[in-house]
Each structure stands twice: as C-alpha cells, then as structure tokens.
Amino acid sequence: MENNFSNRVRRIIELSREEAGRLQNTSLGPEHLMLAILRNGEGVAFETLKSFGIDLKVLKANLDKTAMEQERASVATSPALSKITEKIIRMSMLEARLIRSKETDAEHLLLALLKENNNAVSQELNKQN
C-alpha cells in the first residue's frame, strides 16, 4: 500500500517523534500522534476537535500524563513506532482510500485514532463526550 501522506501528516509524524522524545518514551504511541496534531494546531482534524468542544488543554495535559507513565528511555534514542501506532497509520491510509482522497491527511489520522478505540486518545476523547 502506497503511503501518499500530505505534508501535514509528514509534519505530524515528525512532531510525534519530538513529543515522544520530550516525554522520554521508548516507543511512539497514539498519544504522541494526538499531541502532535494538537501541537501542529491547524487542519481539519484540529478544527474538528475544537468544533466538538474538546478542551484541548485538558486533552494535552491528560495525554502528557499518560505518556509520562510509560516506559522511559534512559538514553536519548529515536522512539520506535508501537504496534498500535503502526496499525493506526495503516488505518489512516485506508480511510483516505475509502473516500478516494489522493493524500492521507490529518483528518484520516484522527478517524483512525478514533476507530482504534483501545488507546489513551480515544479514552480521553470519550471522557469529553
């Protein structure tokens, strides 16, 4: 399957690696993807979260807390994608293909995060209805 990511998704993946590094996590999880979407601060995914009345500051704080409880790296290393994150990225590509989008963008990533409901992101969003 071809990964035809938009520049925004490429940036979000880059930012998610930075977020995992900031939190000294050994693996890059779904919470890092969402933290990167929030940090990017633009696009359909970001605007959708705002339009649903999600308290973005609370969401960020809770995801930071969740990530800080994960295994911490003792040495500065590049965090590896967790299995669930790999699955979410593949699902985002499928979401884009389903609607015949030429690129996988942040909204497809958000849909995949929500569909894979066994992660901290979907749990935090469910808390905020």
Side-chain angles (χ1 to χ4, degrees):
M1 186 182 317
E2 186 179 331
N3 66 0
N4 200 14
F5 296 134
S6 69
N7 288 334
R8 185 181 347 267
V9 169
R10 291 178 203 282
R11 176 78 176 136
I12 287 170
I13 291 172
E14 177 184 315
L15 290 173
S16 66
R17 289 189 189 285
E18 289 178 14
E19 289 295 317
R22 175 181 67 85
L23 296 164
Q24 298 177 328
N25 295 133
T26 57
S27 66
L28 194 152
E31 57 280 358
H32 301 109
L33 291 173
M34 180 57 80
L35 288 168
I37 289 171
L38 297 175
R39 186 170 152 191
N40 189 54
E42 63 178 31
V44 174
F46 184 79
E47 294 302 323
T48 299
L49 291 169
K50 284 181 18 182
S51 72
F52 275 98
I54 302 296
D55 187 330
L56 303 180
K57 289 181 182 179
V58 169
L59 178 61
K60 182 190 180 311
N62 289 343
L63 291 176
D64 273 348
K65 182 180 175 189
T66 298
M68 292 179 92
E69 294 169 356
Q70 294 177 4
E71 185 177 350
R72 309 279 302 248
S74 57
V75 190
T77 59
S78 181
L81 292 178
S82 68
K83 295 285 184 201
I84 193 165
T85 303
E86 288 177 8
K87 180 179 179 182
I88 288 168
I89 290 172
R90 282 194 311 271
M91 286 172 52
S92 71
M93 293 163 50
L94 289 172
E95 288 294 333
R97 284 181 60 192
L98 282 172
I99 61 168
R100 293 180 171 35
S101 178
K102 292 180 182 181
E103 291 183 315
T104 302
D105 210 340
E107 58 270 21
H108 306 116
L109 197 54
L110 178 60
L111 285 169
L113 281 163
L114 294 171
K115 282 190 174 181
E116 177 51 56
N117 60 8
N118 192 18
N119 65 71
V121 173
S122 63
Q123 292 166 3
E124 287 301 324
L125 290 174
N126 281 330
K127 285 181 187 176
Q128 293 194 40
N129 295 320

